[in-house]
Amino acid sequence: MARRPLPRILISGNVSLSRGRDLARTAADNATDVLHPLLTIARGLRVLATAGRRRWADTPKDKRGPALFLAAACVLVVALVPYGPLIALITLMAAAAWHGRDRTPAKTGPGDAEAERLGSLYEALVPYFSIPEDPTPLFAHGGEWDKAFSEYAFDEAGRLSRLRIRYPAYFTDGESSSRARIEALLHAKSGRGREYLFDWDEEGNQLDLSVLAALPTSIAAQPFVTSPGETVLGFTDPASVQRTLPVTDGEDTRDAPPVIWRTGPRSTEPHLLAVGQPGSGTSTLLRSIALQALRHGGDVVMVEGGGSGEYSCLSGRTGVLAVESGPAGAHATLAWAAQETERRLIAGHRAREAGRPAPEDVRRPLWILLDRPSVLGHLAAAEGRSDPLALLQVPLRHGRAANVTVVVTEQFDHLELLSDAVWQHTRARAVLGPATIQQIAEVLGLPPHTTPTAQVPPGRGYARLGAGPVHRLQVPATPDPYDDAAHPVHRRAVLELLPERPRTALSKPPLLPQDRTPAQSTPAHDTPDQSTSIDASEIPEVPADAP
C-alpha cells in the first residue's frame, strides 16, 4: 500500500505557521481600520441601550404607562413629518458616534515618578544656577521646577530623552569649565550608558539636552559614491553634515550622512592622525582608507608597527608598493617615501617652469599609512638605528604639494613618542574607542558636544577635520578578510574590494628614485613585469582561497 505524503503544513513546519499568523494579524489590523466607524457607532448604541435600560428600571411602575404613551406619540409624529425617519436615524447615529468615541484621557503632564525625577534634577542644579544676591532666583531649594524646565520628554523606561532648561543670565555659560560641570551633572542624573547632546543657546539662556540614537554598525566596506580626493572616514548624525551617500546596509539601500576627508593639493587637512585603545578600530579605519585609495588609482605604502599581520591581505595587490612590519624594512620604505616626495616636488617644479602639466606619476596620489609607528621606533633604538618617524618630516611638510598623504594611527599610551612634525601637520584627527572628554580634547583640540560612553563598539568615536566641528563617527566595518572571527559578510565585502594581483611573478627589483631621472614615473602598475613592492621577498604568503 503506497504511503500518502504528509500534509504541506507539516512539511513546512514553523515557517507556514508564522506566515499564517502574520497574515491573520495584518488582516485583522486592516479590518479594524476599515471598520473603525462601525465599531464606534456600535459601541455608542450599546451605551445608549444600557442608559435607556437603566432609565426604564429607575422609572416607577405607576409612571411607566404615561412614559410609553409619550414615546409612542413621539414616534408617530416623527413618522408623519417629511423626512422624519431619516432625520431621526441620522440623529441616532450621531448620538451613538458621540457616546462611542474613545474617551481615554490625554496625558497632559508628567506622572508621579517623572515629576519626582524632574524635581530631583532641579534640586541638583540649584547650587550651579543660583547665587545669594539674586532677589528672585529661578533655581532655589524647594522651588518650582516647571518654571525652569519648559520642555521635557521621557522614554518607555521612564528616563529623560529630551529636556530644555532655562538658566539665569549671570551663569558663566561662556566658560568651558562651567559648561562641563553642568553637562557632567546632567549626564549622571539623567542616566548613564547613553550619549547626550548638549546645545547651549547663550543668547536665549537655554540649554537643550537630547539623547542621541546609536550610530549603525552594520554598514560594511563598499565602493562609496565619492570623487577622487574624497575619503569616507565613517558616518555620523544627519544633523551634523549637509551631504548624504547611498549605502548598502544589509539587504537595504539607504542614504547615510558621511564624514568626508578631502585630500590632495587643494586640501587644508592633507594628513590624518587617528588615536585609540587596543581593539578600538584604528586598524579598521586604516584598511578602509587603503581600500578607498586603491579604488581611486592611488599607490599605497603600508608600514605596520604592531607586527600582527592584519594588513597581509594588501600584499602583492596592484597599487600596493610595500607592506612592511620590521624596523629595517620600515626605515627603507620611509626613506624611499621621503626621496619620492622630493622627486615629485622637483618634477612638478620643472614641469611648471616648462609650461607643461605635471607628469602622470606626480599626479597619482601616494598614500603612506603607518600603524603604531612608536613600536618601530623602540625596536630601531634597540638595534642602534635612527627613529623611522624622523623620515616622515619631508612627506608631512611637503606632501600636499607632492600629492602625498600620510595617515598615522597610534594608541593613547604612546602619544608622547610621536614627533612634533606629526602633531603639527596632521590637522585631520580621529579618536576611536572609549576615551574621556579630556583625552578627546587633547587630540582633537576641542571637547565633544556629547558625553562619551564607557562601552562602545569598534570603530565608534569622534572626528574633527582642521578647525571644523567635532563629529560623532562610526567607521565602516572593514575587518581583516583572513580573520576567522570576523563576520563572514564583512570579510567577503573586503575581499571584493581588494585589487587583483598581477599575473606575472614579482621578480625584478623596483626602480628606486635615486636610480632614475626625475622625469621617470614611479613603477607602481605601469608594466606588468615590474614589481609592485619595494622588497618582493618581504611579501608574506597569501592563502590560496584569496582572490
Side-chain angles (χ1 to χ4, degrees):
M1 182 177 179
R3 298 180 61 184
R4 298 180 59 184
L6 293 174
R8 185 170 182 177
I9 190 172
L10 297 180
I11 298 176
S12 55
N14 297 332
V15 178
S16 299
L17 293 176
S18 61
R19 186 180 304 171
R21 284 195 295 267
D22 294 340
L23 291 176
R25 190 180 298 108
T26 304
D29 294 340
N30 294 335
T32 302
D33 295 338
V34 174
L35 301 177
H36 180 70
L38 297 179
L39 295 176
T40 302
I41 293 175
R43 190 186 308 116
L45 291 175
R46 186 174 64 252
V47 172
L48 292 177
T50 303
R53 187 167 52 252
R54 187 184 304 110
R55 183 68 178 271
W56 177 258
D58 295 340
T59 303
K61 293 183 178 181
D62 56 342
K63 295 183 179 180
R64 290 183 179 180
L68 286 176
F69 178 77
L70 180 61
C74 291
V75 170
L76 180 62
V77 171
V78 171
L80 296 177
V81 172
Y83 304 103
L86 179 61
I87 296 175
L89 180 62
I90 294 175
T91 304
L92 178 62
M93 294 297 103
W98 174 257
H99 287 84
R101 72 187 186 279
D102 188 9
R103 300 186 179 184
T104 303
K107 185 177 180 181
T108 58
D112 295 339
E114 297 172 352
E116 184 178 357
R117 183 180 291 269
L118 291 174
S120 62
L121 183 60
Y122 174 84
E123 293 291 335
L125 291 172
V126 169
Y128 301 92
F129 286 149
S130 63
I131 56 176
E133 294 82 6
D134 191 353
T136 57
L138 182 61
F139 285 82
H141 291 292
E144 299 178 357
W145 58 263
D146 54 350
K147 294 182 179 180
F149 301 155
S150 56
E151 296 180 9
Y152 49 84
F154 293 85
D155 57 10
E156 298 178 354
R159 297 189 300 177
L160 271 173
S161 61
R162 183 173 53 85
L163 180 65
R164 172 168 291 182
I165 303 174
R166 293 177 53 245
Y167 56 87
Y170 51 77
F171 176 72
T172 56
D173 52 3
E175 299 178 2
S176 58
S177 58
S178 301
R179 294 163 62 156
R181 287 195 297 267
I182 299 299
E183 293 175 1
L185 175 64
L186 293 175
H187 182 206
K189 293 295 183 179
S190 301
R192 299 184 183 273
R194 299 184 296 174
E195 200 163 359
Y196 296 91
L197 174 65
F198 299 99
D199 186 10
W200 291 84
D201 182 9
E202 299 179 3
E203 295 181 359
N205 298 324
Q206 290 183 349
L207 169 61
D208 289 337
L209 176 147
S210 58
V211 178
L212 295 176
L215 295 176
T217 59
S218 56
I219 301 178
Q222 53 191 283
F224 300 112
V225 184
T226 55
S227 60
E230 293 182 344
T231 302
V232 177
L233 298 181
F235 297 92
T236 183
D237 300 301
S240 300
V241 294
Q242 300 178 354
R243 177 178 176 181
T244 58
L245 291 179
V247 297
T248 301
D249 189 356
E251 298 180 355
D252 301 330
T253 300
R254 61 182 182 86
D255 293 337
V259 178
I260 294 182
W261 173 39
R262 292 174 175 84
T263 58
R266 299 179 181 273
S267 173
T268 57
E269 302 87 21
H271 309 297
L272 173 71
L273 172 63
V275 184
Q277 300 288 356
S280 59
T282 54
S283 301
T284 297
L285 176 61
L286 213 56
R287 272 189 297 269
S288 176
I289 293 175
L291 292 177
Q292 296 181 62
L294 293 172
R295 177 174 173 267
H296 290 299
D299 295 332
V300 174
V301 173
M302 175 67 67
V303 178
E304 179 188 3
S308 59
E310 295 185 358
Y311 308 97
S312 60
C313 59
L314 299 173
S315 298
R317 303 285 178 175
T318 301
V320 181
L321 303 183
V323 178
E324 298 290 347
S325 58
H331 190 278
T333 301
L334 295 181
W336 176 88
Q339 296 179 14
E340 175 65 10
T341 304
E342 296 174 352
R343 185 196 69 80
R344 288 174 173 237
L345 290 174
I346 296 173
H349 179 68
R350 290 181 178 178
R352 286 190 295 270
E353 284 184 343
R356 299 191 307 269
E360 181 182 357
D361 61 336
V362 175
R363 296 197 304 268
R364 184 188 301 122
L366 174 62
W367 293 75
I368 305 174
L369 310 180
L370 297 95
D371 186 14
R372 299 184 62 190
S374 60
V375 179
L376 294 175
H378 179 75
L379 295 176
E383 296 179 0
R385 300 175 180 269
S386 60
D387 189 358
L389 280 179
L391 300 172
L392 278 180
Q393 293 188 8
V394 175
L396 287 172
R397 293 179 179 178
H398 308 287
R400 182 173 62 177
N403 209 2
V404 177
T405 303
V406 180
V407 180
V408 180
T409 62
E410 191 53 84
Q411 296 181 3
F412 280 106
D413 299 337
H414 303 90
L415 288 182
E416 66 278 0
L417 301 178
L418 296 179
S419 60
D420 295 337
V422 174
W423 287 105
Q424 183 179 358
H425 296 284
T426 53
R427 293 174 48 82
R429 304 283 179 84
V431 176
L432 302 180
T436 62
I437 296 181
Q438 182 178 2
Q439 290 176 326
I440 298 173
E442 290 177 355
V443 177
L444 302 183
L446 282 179
H449 294 292
T450 63
T451 54
T453 57
Q455 301 293 333
V456 294
R460 177 73 56 81
Y462 299 90
R464 187 189 182 201
L465 305 178
V470 179
H471 300 285
R472 287 206 306 166
L473 181 70
Q474 177 61 53
V475 179
T478 316
D480 182 7
Y482 303 151
D483 184 9
D484 296 336
H487 197 284
V489 176
H490 298 166
R491 293 168 55 194
R492 191 180 308 111
V494 174
L495 287 174
E496 292 176 355
L497 293 176
L498 286 172
E500 296 292 338
R501 291 189 174 89
R503 296 181 179 179
T504 57
L506 303 178
S507 56
K508 295 182 61 177
L511 187 62
L512 296 180
Q514 62 268 22
D515 300 331
R516 60 171 181 246
T517 60
Q520 290 179 294
S521 61
T522 303
H525 42 272
D526 294 338
T527 57
D529 59 339
Q530 289 181 343
S531 172
T532 58
S533 174
I534 293 179
D535 188 0
S537 62
E538 293 291 332
I539 299 179
E541 185 178 355
V542 184
D545 56 345

